[in-house]
Amino acid sequence: MFELEAACEQLSDVSLEEKQAPAEGSMESCPDFGLDPNPRPGSGPGPGPDQLCVTIGATVPTGFEQTAADEVREKLGSQSRISKDRGKIYFDISVESLSKVHSLRSVDNLFVVVQEFRDYQFKETKEDVLKDFEDLAGKLPWSDPLKVWKINTSFKKKKTKRKKLTQQNTVFKEKVDDGQGDMGDEKQLTNHTMEAVLETIENQDGTIDETPILTYNKKVSEKPSAIENKRVNEIPRDEAEPQVLKFRVTCNRAGENHSFTSNEAARDFGGAVQDYFKWKADMTNFDVEVLLNVHNNEIVVGIALTEESLHRRNITHFGPTTLRSTLAYGMLRLCSPQPTDIIVDPMCGTGAIPIEGVAEWPNCYHIAGDNNPLAVKRAANNILSLLTKSQIKESKAFWGLPIDAIQWDICNLPLRTGSVDILVTDMPFGKRIGSKKKNWNLYPSCLQEMSRVCRPGTGRAVLLTQDRKCFSKALSRMGHVWRKVHTVWVNIGGLHAAVYLLKRTSQVFIHPSELEHEKGTS
Amino acid sequence: MKLLTHNLLSSHVRGVGPRGFPLRIQATEVRVSPVDFNPDFVTRMIPKMEWTALVEAAESLGHLSELPRELAEGYEKDEEFLRKVHHVLLEVEVVEGTLQCPESGRLFPISRGIPNMLLSDEEAAS
């Protein structure tokens, strides 16, 4: 019944890095054209720029490379190569399909590959290595990737922004202050006014795509030391083509035995790029972002296609532990939602998962629940924002979505036995929310109550947790109702966590008090 | 709270068990929001619902709209019927009101469309 199961049978609980399918040296051919099966970027024999085949790189939540590859295959028809540099996948598309990449929900950032070096030979000394980087700048096949960058930028120029309804703005100015611990990033974001905005992109072929994205309004006194990955910039640029392009180089370096730092590489490579193109270097207000990714002996030079990370796209009200939308999407995909499935997140927090769910699987029914009234309120507000986006999109007033929010206790769910098809949730890690000690009681209760409401035989659960020890122990006692099918190792804000895919056995739920062998104990 | 959700909710007051379903609705504010009609969705959802409870809930809100008390054979092909079910499942929402446990009488408030089903420690099952 589940194709997933067959696939999972072949996967063991190890990192997906080791399971790459295609041979390292091959590149997949473009889906639509009978081109050279090993096209190098910039060297395609195609007659016109539209038939250009390019390699796109995407950063995805670590551990979900395969999920992202599946989405790419489904939406773009392209096979992906999963990189040894974790959290990255590569795929080829024709330039005509470029706008579609922005509809991918499992990717955080996108870039067009200028060149890949699978086995770069580093010279001995730092000076020599850096000199090589300088020389490299002038030898790279820039022209096609830059064409792609330009086309991509032209999408953005045609974007139209729609303002949210006024009553929403006051809600967004609400400060998050519930005494919970929080991440630096998120706290900063709540001080900005955020708008959930639907941007319309007019494609080259005249079709319209809509992408909901989160934009931040500039604060009056803007500080340049703003958040790393998220720039506080309004999207619409000047309509006039800038005379001189502004650029910056971002270098990510991973691996031992490198004689140089990422800053040094970025500086020297960037200097050479500047000389070559006569562009102007600008760290904050750039047009072109050149990426220099070094992972051991693998180097990828690329040009960024996304400005800010897409990973918070649907969430307007942040909480202390808001899950990335891309991660939420990956988790949902993992459980293969079928039409009409009832999907419940019993510890929803800000509702990241159900909201991603209703956006991408609107033919399922989603329920967001939490015991914290603030969390439920935020989830409801995020739903409201989504509603507003749909209203804009469809020009319809007050249309509903197949999603509801409820305040409840996970250990005592007010749901009929066996009525839920999928449970998907981000379980408390015991670091920012709750505590490890609480988890020892919480996890077994959760698993039991979830097994009660989950539909026997066909039901499944996808659970994210960092407290793997506690989870495994709790799960080991539930073998009669839960079967672990697959584990994905992920990285959440520096913490090593795991996503478990569980299948509900066909064993009907029996309340522990009804079990004959022991009275009153579970 | 949509009626589809209501159909899944059951009181979990200690000792009540399956007699905690269905919860009785008392609504002070109801909203109707159009939702895209998808016949397949409705057809597949009906078997997951407790039909009698759904009809009772719709009736209590004044949205019965001639739904039969019992499911007829071949409803999958009856579009008019499916549209009525669609309306009741997805388009009618209780914004303010209460849900009442039929066995214990315990009231759960609904505020801004969100039911609060939290119980005190004494009330909850162990």
Side-chain angles (χ1 to χ4, degrees), chain A residues 60-360:
Chain A
V60 305
T62 323
F64 280 92
E65 293 88 351
Q66 188 58 52
T67 313
D70 290 342
E71 194 194 6
V72 167
R73 191 182 58 241
E74 183 185 291
K75 292 187 177 165
L76 303 175
S78 302
Q79 288 283 95
S80 300
R81 223 182 339 118
I82 297 173
S83 168
K84 287 212 165 83
D85 184 3
R86 296 197 80 204
K88 291 200 178 63
I89 65 168
Y90 296 94
F91 52 92
D92 297 336
I93 52 159
S94 70
V95 169
E96 274 177 357
S97 314
L98 188 62
S99 59
K100 285 193 214 159
V101 299
H102 290 287
S103 73
L104 294 171
R105 304 190 84 95
S106 53
V107 306
D108 289 319
N109 280 299
L110 292 160
F111 56 93
V112 54
V113 173
V114 174
Q115 187 150 7
E116 284 181 73
F117 300 89
R118 306 286 170 87
D119 193 19
Y120 188 87
Q121 298 304 315
F122 290 100
K123 298 235 169 77
E124 291 283 331
T125 68
K126 172 159 77 166
E127 290 70 31
D128 286 343
V129 170
L130 293 175
K131 179 76 176 52
D132 276 352
F133 282 155
E134 285 178 26
D135 293 341
L136 192 60
K139 298 181 194 159
L140 294 170
W142 293 101
S143 69
D144 286 341
L146 279 172
K147 278 185 203 150
V148 172
W149 168 84
K150 194 159 176 199
I151 295 169
N152 190 66
T153 312
S154 73
F155 293 157
K156 293 179 196 160
K157 282 191 174 164
K158 285 177 185 165
K159 275 181 185 172
T160 55
K161 267 174 73 171
R162 315 288 179 94
K163 288 281 182 189
K164 292 182 52 54
L165 303 177
T166 26
Q167 70 260 30
Q168 302 298 331
N169 284 327
T170 51
V171 172
F172 292 152
K173 282 183 184 119
E174 180 185 311
K175 238 192 119 161
V176 174
D177 184 18
D178 55 357
Q180 306 272 16
D182 55 298
M183 256 172 85
D185 273 1
E186 279 141 352
K187 190 105 190 230
Q188 269 179 298
L189 287 168
T190 57
N191 290 333
H192 293 76
T193 308
M194 288 180 276
E195 291 179 327
V197 156
L198 197 71
E199 300 199 314
T200 359
I201 305 171
E202 196 187 310
N203 295 328
Q204 292 167 296
D205 59 0
T207 56
I208 307 272
D209 283 343
E210 275 111 356
T211 319
I213 90 161
L214 200 53
T215 63
Y216 311 97
N217 283 332
K218 261 188 205 169
K219 287 181 78 172
V220 172
S221 54
E222 190 193 12
K223 295 179 176 62
S225 63
I227 314 137
E228 250 279 43
N229 293 330
K230 302 151 195 158
R231 295 185 301 115
V232 185
N233 265 339
E234 291 293 342
I235 300 285
R237 300 178 183 284
D238 295 335
E239 283 304 318
E241 195 71 36
Q243 294 288 56
V244 172
L245 285 179
K246 290 180 276 194
F247 84 105
R248 80 165 186 194
V249 173
T250 305
C251 177
N252 292 308
R253 187 195 63 77
E256 296 154 36
N257 306 326
H258 290 144
S259 57
F260 59 96
T261 66
S262 57
N263 281 341
E264 289 165 340
R267 177 198 65 207
D268 288 2
F269 184 66
V273 167
Q274 182 167 25
D275 290 340
Y276 184 71
F277 286 108
K278 310 289 180 242
W279 289 338
K280 186 164 176 260
D282 191 328
M283 287 304 292
T284 51
N285 209 17
F286 46 87
D287 304 304
V288 182
E289 182 175 20
V290 176
L291 305 167
L292 180 62
N293 293 330
V294 181
H295 180 77
N296 293 326
N297 280 359
E298 197 182 274
I299 295 190
V300 178
V301 181
I303 300 177
L305 297 176
T306 48
E307 282 187 4
E308 53 192 88
S309 201
L310 304 166
H311 63 139
R312 289 274 157 71
R313 59 177 161 254
N314 282 330
I315 302 302
T316 52
H317 287 71
F318 286 83
T321 58
T322 297
L323 193 67
R324 283 195 281 179
S325 300
T326 44
L327 200 47
Y329 175 84
M331 286 173 67
L332 280 162
R333 246 198 112 97
L334 210 56
C335 57
S336 305
Q338 302 299 304
T340 330
D341 272 348
I342 294 173
I343 305 178
V344 173
D345 182 349
M347 293 184 276
C348 68
T350 48
I353 296 174
I355 282 161
E356 197 61 26
V358 79
E360 193 69 5

